[in-house]
Amino acid sequence: MKKLTAMITAALLLTMSACSGNSTQIPGEPTVSESETTKTEPAPTDENGDILIRIATDDLVWLPPELETAIEEFNEMDNGYHVKPVIYSLGSDDSGGLQTADMRLQMDILQGKNVDIVMDYSFSEMSRYDILSEKGAFVDLYTFLDGELGISRSELNSHILELHENDGKLYQMPLYFNVDTMCGDAEYVGTTENWTLNELMAHWEKMPEGTFFCNNSTKWPVYWAIVRGNLGAFVDYENGTCSFDSPEFVKLLEFCNSFPDTKVKVQPDWDTIHFLNWCSFSGFDEFHKAADDTTVFVGYPSGNGKGSFIDTLWKRYSICATAHPAVQEGAWEFLSYMLNADVQIKNCISYDSESYQENPHLDEDGFPINQTAFERIAQGMIAHAGESRVLSFSGREKDVGYLTQEEYERLLKLIDSLNRMNSPVDKTANTIIENEVEAYFAGERTAEEVAKSIQGRMEIMISERS
């Protein structure tokens, strides 16, 4: 795989040299020099003379509410900066429009044109963002966190930051995070957390007939439950490698294939026993509702028994290394604003918030990375512990109560135990993988043959996107 890393580096250099002569100037945008921006050149400004900070997005219509609000509020501060979204795509088509937009964005990042802040979902294929991060296309944000401008390192969750490090540097800033795992009732899964695949198989063999593995017990639903959601475990963008030909992946495929293959999906009822449930906790209330005394977090089956992970996909921001230094400072002030405790609290859900009062079933968007915001939201919920709270689920009412101090401490322990973050596996990669898996499920090829084919195709894809 050493050759693959060399190929990625060479591809980046080729992209940079191939793009050095031409650029697509976005109408209404200030002209930026073809060469790398230096401190002696003036920073780009808008019509009012404010330093312009351009943030890449795929569609103004689908800006995350917290980002849209932050842009409006930040621009109203009259602080000498103006944040402006730059659209790189407006939907997909059959002519490769999204890929074209992705390539144009990648070129602009490398050349220092038209964009200064990049979100991971600025790309239709998010793996491009991770590959660029690993190759130094973005600023090491620790230089700002340890400086005097904006928010400081001590104000943020250090464990989450460490999971995003690359050789001690921080090229990505997550605003919020989820916890992804698999869970089950102790009666059926025992009390050991974070299973290996062998432990999962041993417990499954003891389940009574008619039990649903997760939401079904046929090949594809089992694959979707324990493999698709954890494909990031087999991709390493930091080293430009993947491991789909590993014994672990082969064994997972063989386990999925041991289930029947039927086109008729049996729907569970309230009395159906579920062996496992997929748990993605994006807030305190979700954790509280799932983490009763009998719930065990067994994680995705893995070779090392550490299958749970932190997920920050769709919530990561970076500052382009080629942006003008004055623009980088403004971009950091904008990110610092979004990381501010009061702003993060406003964008999250607490029991006393207006959004929760209007809709108690409202989905949470993630745990805030700001430590003060995290603790204040949790303590505001714990203050209601012991009180009754009745919610309706599919016509059935249940008293779900409120987050307790014990649950909060269990959540902290779970977060601290997670040692990896999710890696994006894009739609194109998913199609590659599942086409191969389909051949295996159909009996056309062996698990080893399919795993080897996936490995080869994914290596090429990772190389081409670099």
Side-chain angles (χ1 to χ4, degrees):
M1 300 308 298
K2 292 181 179 178
K3 290 183 177 180
L4 181 57
T5 302
M7 290 171 63
I8 292 174
T9 303
L12 269 176
L13 292 173
L14 180 61
T15 301
M16 293 177 72
S17 62
C19 300
S20 61
N22 297 294
S23 172
T24 302
Q25 181 67 33
I26 299 177
E29 294 294 320
T31 301
V32 181
S33 171
E34 292 289 330
S35 61
E36 183 178 352
T37 304
T38 66
K39 293 183 179 180
T40 59
E41 298 171 335
T45 57
D46 67 2
E47 62 276 8
N48 297 317
D50 292 329
I51 293 177
L52 189 62
I53 305 167
R54 298 156 296 189
I55 182 168
T57 182
D58 63 347
D59 193 335
L60 291 179
V61 177
W62 300 108
L63 277 180
E66 68 272 12
L67 174 60
E68 185 175 14
T69 301
I71 291 175
E72 292 176 356
E73 294 176 350
F74 187 79
N75 286 343
E76 290 175 356
M77 292 179 180
D78 192 24
N79 54 13
Y81 298 109
H82 181 83
V83 177
K84 180 177 181 179
V86 178
I87 300 175
Y88 276 85
S89 65
L90 289 170
S92 60
D93 55 42
D94 296 331
S95 61
L98 283 176
Q99 291 187 0
T100 302
D102 273 2
M103 184 57 68
R104 183 161 61 90
L105 174 56
Q106 178 170 308
M107 292 177 179
D108 284 354
I109 291 170
L110 295 173
Q111 296 178 50
K113 299 173 181 175
N114 305 324
V115 59
D116 308 301
I117 299 178
V118 179
M119 304 172 282
D120 56 1
Y121 60 92
S122 301
F123 289 99
S124 60
E125 301 286 3
M126 200 180 296
S127 61
R128 294 182 185 272
Y129 170 83
D130 282 75
I131 293 171
L132 285 169
S133 298
E134 302 302 339
K135 297 306 169 185
F138 304 125
V139 172
D140 176 12
L141 298 176
Y142 278 145
T143 60
F144 287 112
L145 282 169
D146 296 332
E148 298 180 356
L149 178 69
I151 204 157
S152 65
R153 190 191 298 217
S154 62
E155 297 177 71
L156 306 180
N157 187 311
S158 60
H159 179 59
I160 302 300
L161 294 182
E162 288 169 2
L163 292 179
H164 289 75
E165 287 182 3
N166 178 17
D167 293 331
K169 296 183 178 181
L170 184 69
Y171 299 119
Q172 305 175 359
M173 175 57 71
L175 300 184
Y176 307 91
F177 64 94
N178 294 357
V179 173
D180 275 39
T181 185
M182 302 287 292
C183 61
D185 194 294
E187 178 182 355
Y188 305 115
V189 304
T191 57
T192 300
E193 296 190 345
N194 291 316
W195 278 349
T196 63
L197 179 56
N198 287 337
E199 289 172 325
L200 178 148
M201 294 169 64
H203 281 86
W204 172 246
E205 290 175 357
K206 299 176 184 178
M207 293 302 294
E209 186 176 352
T211 300
F212 270 31
F213 181 85
C214 194
N215 65 342
N216 213 308
S217 293
T218 56
K219 286 180 174 44
W220 278 110
V222 173
Y223 170 86
W224 294 327
I226 64 172
V227 183
R228 179 196 269 182
N230 193 36
L231 286 174
F234 302 95
V235 178
D236 181 358
Y237 292 117
E238 182 172 350
N239 296 304
T241 63
C242 52
S243 56
F244 291 99
D245 58 350
S246 63
E248 179 184 341
F249 189 73
V250 170
K251 198 170 184 178
L252 278 169
L253 293 182
E254 291 174 340
F255 177 71
C256 296
N257 197 42
S258 69
F259 288 83
D261 186 9
T262 174
K263 295 182 179 180
V264 180
K265 181 177 180 179
V266 180
Q267 295 293 336
D269 55 35
W270 282 99
D271 299 319
T272 301
I273 298 174
H274 291 253
F275 177 52
L276 294 178
N277 289 295
W278 173 65
C279 301
S280 179
F281 302 123
S282 56
F284 297 100
D285 201 30
E286 284 186 354
F287 184 82
H288 160 70
K289 291 173 184 176
D292 57 37
D293 294 337
T294 65
T295 300
V296 179
F297 304 121
V298 299
Y300 291 92
S302 62
N304 59 10
K306 297 180 180 180
S308 303
F309 55 83
I310 293 293
D311 185 3
T312 58
L313 302 185
W314 303 89
K315 303 176 179 71
R316 300 172 296 164
Y317 290 71
S318 296
I319 299 174
C320 296
T322 51
H324 190 284
V327 175
Q328 290 181 7
E329 289 188 1
W332 177 244
E333 285 205 29
F334 177 66
L335 292 187
S336 293
Y337 177 77
M338 297 184 73
L339 291 164
N340 177 273
D342 291 336
V343 172
Q344 293 223 312
I345 290 172
K346 183 175 64 175
N347 289 327
C348 292
I349 297 172
S350 61
Y351 297 142
D352 295 322
S353 67
E354 182 178 343
S355 57
Y356 177 81
Q357 296 300 322
E358 294 176 353
N359 183 6
H361 289 286
L362 194 65
D363 290 336
E364 297 171 285
D365 293 325
F367 297 102
I369 192 173
N370 184 293
Q371 285 287 76
T372 298
F374 186 97
E375 293 167 4
R376 281 170 54 184
I377 293 172
Q379 293 306 319
M381 292 179 165
I382 292 171
H384 295 278
E387 300 176 14
S388 175
R389 180 172 57 128
V390 178
L391 297 179
S392 178
F393 301 91
S394 301
R396 290 193 177 189
E397 290 190 342
K398 181 180 180 180
D399 187 348
V400 298
Y402 292 88
L403 181 75
T404 67
Q405 181 66 33
E406 292 75 18
E407 290 169 347
Y408 177 60
E409 292 174 0
R410 187 182 182 190
L411 172 63
L412 293 178
K413 183 179 178 181
L414 174 62
I415 292 172
D416 288 341
S417 72
L418 304 183
N419 64 357
R420 73 179 179 92
M421 67 178 199
N422 194 20
S423 297
V425 177
D426 302 314
K427 182 178 179 181
T428 301
N430 244 322
T431 300
I432 290 172
I433 295 168
E434 295 193 3
N435 283 345
E436 296 288 349
V437 173
E438 185 174 13
Y440 169 55
F441 285 170
E444 299 170 3
R445 306 170 74 181
T446 67
E448 290 80 3
E449 288 172 340
V450 163
K452 184 177 181 180
S453 180
I454 292 173
Q455 177 72 12
R457 297 179 67 182
M458 288 297 294
E459 285 180 359
I460 293 172
M461 192 205 73
I462 294 173
S463 174
E464 288 178 342
R465 288 190 180 172
S466 302

